[in-house]
Amino acid sequence: MLIQPARKPRSRLSNLRQQEALLAYLLILPSTIGILVFAVFPILASMGISMTNWGGLTQPTLENFKSQFSGLQNYQTALSDDRVVRSLQHTLTYVLLSVPLGVAVSLAIATLIHNLKAGWLQTFFRTTYYLPMVTIGVAVALLWQLLLNPQGLINLMLSWFGIKGPSWLASPEWVLPAIALFSVWQGSGTSIILFLTSLSNVRKELYEAAQLDGATGWSAFTRITLPMISPTIFLVLVLSLISSIQVFDAVLVMTNGGPGDSSTTIAVYIYKTAFQYFKYGYSAALAWILAIFLIVLTLIQWRMQRQWVNYDQQ
């Protein structure tokens, strides 16, 4: 007769697992409460506010919201609001200026840093280009406001070459390019770090094989480097596009949407609608329209990336 080995009681093992699960839930409970209170609830509340005419001057009670309920009227008004159309046009212009320039400049700088032989130089330039990302945005915007002054340093440097600099922030034609230039300078640090990481993961054997086939530097860059880092290019493109569409602090600090409303982006118009015109319901509706637009745009990008992004890194 065979004797079966004694089995460990499952109840003890089950109790240990339950205790571990309980401990895990307790550890994530503070973060979960914070996300629910400060993220999920405001999002849901803004959806309700967007269907009212609440102006922010009365108590945000359920009775006031019911008495000022307007349904989808705010969304219908937004579709025919000329200022919404103009702010979207300004936002699109800013995006077309800042996103391609930012991606190209970041990739070029990352490639130059990656090709440096000395490791300490790579560390120095990597840190230098990332510094604008960790500085206070408002302070840096004020500094650039002085640099872009008609008598500022940038126009002074242009005058050395016989070029008369424009009134950057006071000209309707130059204000958006000026803000885009500032945003590229300030926001390229993260993109450079991402590109450097991706470039370091490209296999050297590919370049050696290309050299044996007689490929030049530019040919190797376009046929090997760009396809191999295309997932990172896609990531940087998506992040830059979302950030550019939501541009706010640089515009508010440097121009406050001026001159006139020539630099009023959709985010600035949402802010002014709520805190200057006291149309909180209409502002919330505009914010939801912007959110839906960003979601749709991201989905389109995700769909299109299958045609040019190469995930085969083996």
Side-chain angles (χ1 to χ4, degrees):
M1 181 177 179
L2 297 176
I3 300 177
Q4 298 292 336
R7 297 181 178 179
K8 295 182 179 180
R10 292 188 176 183
S11 58
R12 183 177 179 182
L13 182 60
S14 177
N15 290 335
L16 288 175
R17 290 178 177 176
Q18 291 178 358
Q19 292 177 4
E20 290 177 353
L22 179 61
L23 179 61
Y25 287 130
L26 290 175
L27 290 175
I28 66 174
L29 182 61
S31 298
T32 304
I33 294 176
I35 292 173
L36 291 175
V37 174
F38 297 107
V40 177
F41 175 74
I43 291 174
L44 297 177
S46 68
M47 180 181 293
I49 293 174
S50 69
M51 299 182 183
T52 68
N53 292 322
W54 186 54
L57 300 178
T58 58
Q59 291 295 326
T61 61
L62 186 60
E63 290 76 13
N64 286 335
F65 289 153
K66 287 182 178 180
S67 63
Q68 300 179 57
F69 181 77
S70 60
L72 299 178
Q73 182 62 42
N74 287 328
Y75 294 91
Q76 296 174 356
T77 303
L79 296 177
S80 59
D81 189 347
D82 292 337
R83 296 194 64 181
V84 173
V85 175
R86 288 198 301 272
S87 64
L88 287 174
Q89 291 174 344
H90 299 154
T91 304
L92 179 60
T93 302
Y94 171 82
V95 169
L96 293 176
L97 290 171
S98 63
V99 173
L101 181 62
V103 174
V105 169
S106 300
L107 180 57
I109 294 175
T111 303
L112 292 175
I113 295 176
H114 178 72
N115 291 331
L116 291 175
K117 301 300 182 182
W120 69 270
L121 278 177
Q122 291 187 0
T123 303
F124 171 76
F125 284 112
R126 189 187 301 119
T127 305
T128 301
Y129 281 107
Y130 194 75
L131 279 178
M133 292 294 301
V134 299
T135 54
I136 300 175
V138 174
V140 177
L142 290 173
L143 176 62
W144 268 76
Q145 189 180 42
L146 297 176
L147 294 176
L148 293 169
N149 189 278
Q151 289 78 38
L153 180 61
I154 292 180
N155 281 356
L156 176 62
M157 295 174 64
L158 291 176
S159 67
W160 296 345
F161 302 94
I163 301 174
K164 182 180 180 182
S167 299
W168 295 96
L169 300 179
S171 170
E173 292 79 17
W174 285 100
V175 61
L176 288 176
I179 298 174
L181 181 64
F182 162 74
S183 299
V184 170
W185 173 84
Q186 185 189 31
S188 61
T190 301
S191 301
I192 291 173
I193 297 300
L194 291 173
F195 281 134
L196 282 171
T197 304
S198 184
L199 288 170
S200 63
N201 291 329
V202 179
R203 292 180 298 169
K204 296 182 179 179
E205 294 85 355
L206 298 175
Y207 296 109
E208 295 173 355
Q211 288 180 355
L212 293 177
D213 292 337
T216 61
W218 176 251
S219 178
F221 180 78
T222 56
R223 296 176 181 271
I224 297 176
T225 305
L226 289 182
M228 295 302 291
I229 67 171
S230 57
T232 304
I233 296 176
F234 172 68
L235 173 63
V236 171
L237 185 63
V238 172
L239 295 178
S240 300
L241 194 61
I242 294 175
S243 176
S244 298
I245 292 175
Q246 298 181 94
V247 61
F248 171 74
D249 51 352
V251 176
L252 192 69
V253 172
M254 298 175 71
T255 66
N256 195 28
D261 64 347
S262 56
S263 65
T264 299
T265 60
I266 186 63
V268 173
Y269 183 57
I270 291 172
Y271 166 81
K272 290 185 176 181
T273 301
F275 298 103
Q276 291 187 11
Y277 310 140
F278 298 103
K279 297 180 180 179
Y280 279 70
Y282 187 46
S283 176
L286 294 177
W288 270 99
I289 292 175
L290 177 60
I292 294 172
F293 175 74
L294 284 172
I295 293 173
V296 172
L297 187 61
T298 304
L299 292 176
I300 293 174
Q301 286 183 294
W302 188 261
R303 187 82 175 183
M304 294 178 62
Q305 56 96 19
R306 301 176 183 176
Q307 303 176 6
W308 62 275
V309 178
N310 174 34
Y311 287 104
D312 186 12
Q313 303 289 333
Q314 302 299 324

